[in-house]
């Protein structure tokens, strides 16, 4: 099972590969599935703008590891930055460490040094590291040269944003996985009137799921208009 920090960091249950519409990111999903294989890549670095799915992919990798019988941990640094790099202690003993929002601690000497040493310990033990940030390694203002060097050691992938057709397909996939009866016309209406950010779109779908279940109503355009005042 995935290790859960006493800091109450947990995985979203729906953040799985099966719920991720890959579009042009299929090769990234493949690489993450292969990472825990004996010959898998020791270090993978993902980057992309807010909402493209980096956090989803890291959590999906942890769920996938759990399914294979491997322990892992998901560390969103925006939530953990104030605790200091001591939260990394002992993480090198896990087969997979997934570090999200790296940009939140870049420029902090203690964090950069802590991550540098974690990288080295994981590598020496043959365990795997998965990192996500909002920019490529070269675009981060890393202060510790040795840590900057380490960030360029593994495979680096940019997670590509979905176009409008891809977002509709992603909404339909999420709805199907939840048992929601959502047709393409309604999905396109949600996209036209809702947020362009994937995370906010999926949150809107979650809200609609709860309301439609409570009111025993189908997801129709008039129903959605009434719920959001559109």
């Amino acid at each position: 099972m995935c290790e859960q920090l006493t800091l109450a960091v947990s995985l979203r249950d729906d953040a799985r590969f099966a719920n991720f519409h890959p579009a042009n990111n299929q090769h990234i999903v493949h690489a993450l599935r292969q990472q825990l294989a004996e010959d898998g890549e020791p270090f993978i670095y993902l980057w992309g703008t807010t909402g493209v799915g980096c956090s989803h992919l890291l959590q999906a990798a942890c769920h996938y590891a759990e399914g294979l019988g491997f322990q892992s941990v998901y560390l969103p640094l925006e939530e953990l930055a104030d605790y200091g790099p001591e939260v990394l202690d002992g993480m090198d003993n896990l087969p997979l460490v997934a570090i999200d929002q790296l940009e939140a601690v870049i420029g902090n000497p203690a964090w950069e040094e802590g991550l540098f040493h974690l990288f080295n310990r994981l590598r020496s033990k043959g365990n795997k590291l998965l990192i996500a940030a909002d920019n490529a390694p070269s675009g981060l203002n890393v202060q510790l040269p040795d840590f900057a060097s380490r960030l360029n050691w593994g495979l680096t992938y940019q997670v590509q944003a979905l176009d409008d057709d891809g977002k509709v397909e992603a909404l339909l996939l999420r709805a199907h996985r939840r048992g929601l009866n959502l047709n393409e016309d309604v999905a396109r209406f949600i996209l036209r009137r809702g947020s362009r950010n994937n995370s906010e779109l999926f949150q809107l779908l979650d809200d609609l799921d709860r309301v439609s279940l409570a009111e025993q109503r189908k997801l129709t355009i008039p129903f959605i208009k009434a719920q959001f005042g559109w």
Side-chain angles (χ1 to χ4, degrees):
M1 296 178 61
C2 288
E3 288 287 328
Q4 302 299 310
L5 292 179
T6 56
L7 303 172
V9 175
S10 60
L11 302 174
R12 294 200 326 270
D13 186 62
D14 65 342
R16 299 175 186 268
F17 290 133
N19 281 343
F20 184 77
H21 178 59
N24 294 329
N25 299 306
Q26 184 63 57
H27 61 297
I28 299 176
V29 175
H30 177 74
L32 297 183
R33 287 179 179 273
Q34 291 298 312
Q35 189 176 21
L36 285 169
E38 187 174 347
D39 59 348
E41 180 63 36
F43 171 44
I44 296 177
Y45 183 105
L46 307 182
W47 68 279
T49 55
T50 301
V52 298
C54 289
S55 296
H56 184 120
L57 287 170
L58 264 63
Q59 293 179 67
C62 286
H63 280 301
Y64 185 70
E66 177 182 352
L68 296 176
F70 293 110
Q71 288 186 311
S72 65
V73 66
Y74 171 69
L75 302 173
L77 296 188
E78 282 187 3
E79 296 180 35
L80 303 178
D82 290 342
Y83 291 95
E86 292 77 18
V87 301
L88 304 175
D89 291 348
M91 298 300 176
D92 49 292
N93 294 314
L94 300 175
L96 176 66
V97 176
I99 295 175
D100 200 3
Q101 303 153 347
L102 178 65
E103 68 277 3
V105 300
I106 292 301
N108 182 309
W111 266 105
E112 289 192 12
E113 184 173 355
L115 288 165
F116 168 72
H117 290 304
L118 175 65
F119 190 110
N120 291 337
R121 293 195 303 269
L122 284 166
R123 187 175 181 85
S124 68
K125 294 180 179 180
N127 291 327
K128 308 300 174 67
L129 177 61
L130 176 59
I131 288 180
D134 65 356
N135 213 325
S138 60
L140 297 175
N141 189 25
V142 179
Q143 302 300 302
L144 183 64
D146 286 342
F147 182 50
S149 174
R150 295 296 187 275
L151 292 178
N152 288 287
W153 275 15
L155 296 178
T156 297
Y157 296 106
Q158 180 180 6
V159 180
Q160 301 293 328
L162 297 174
D163 60 16
D164 282 357
D165 287 340
K167 290 179 181 180
V168 168
E169 291 170 4
L171 280 171
L172 293 173
L173 173 64
R174 286 292 186 95
H176 175 73
R177 298 288 300 182
R178 298 179 72 103
L180 276 172
N181 184 13
L182 180 72
N183 65 44
E184 183 175 338
D185 288 341
V186 175
R188 290 192 180 279
F189 174 77
I190 292 172
L191 182 62
R192 288 197 302 271
R193 301 301 295 270
S195 171
R196 311 301 294 178
N197 179 286
N198 288 356
S199 298
E200 294 177 9
L201 273 176
F202 298 147
Q203 182 59 55
L204 187 150
L205 186 64
D206 291 346
D207 294 341
L208 286 172
D209 185 15
R210 287 191 294 272
V211 174
S212 65
L213 182 63
E215 299 189 15
Q216 295 296 299
R217 296 281 300 278
K218 293 182 179 179
L219 290 183
T220 63
I221 291 176
F223 174 69
I224 294 171
K225 282 182 176 179
Q227 289 303 314
F228 295 111
W230 289 346

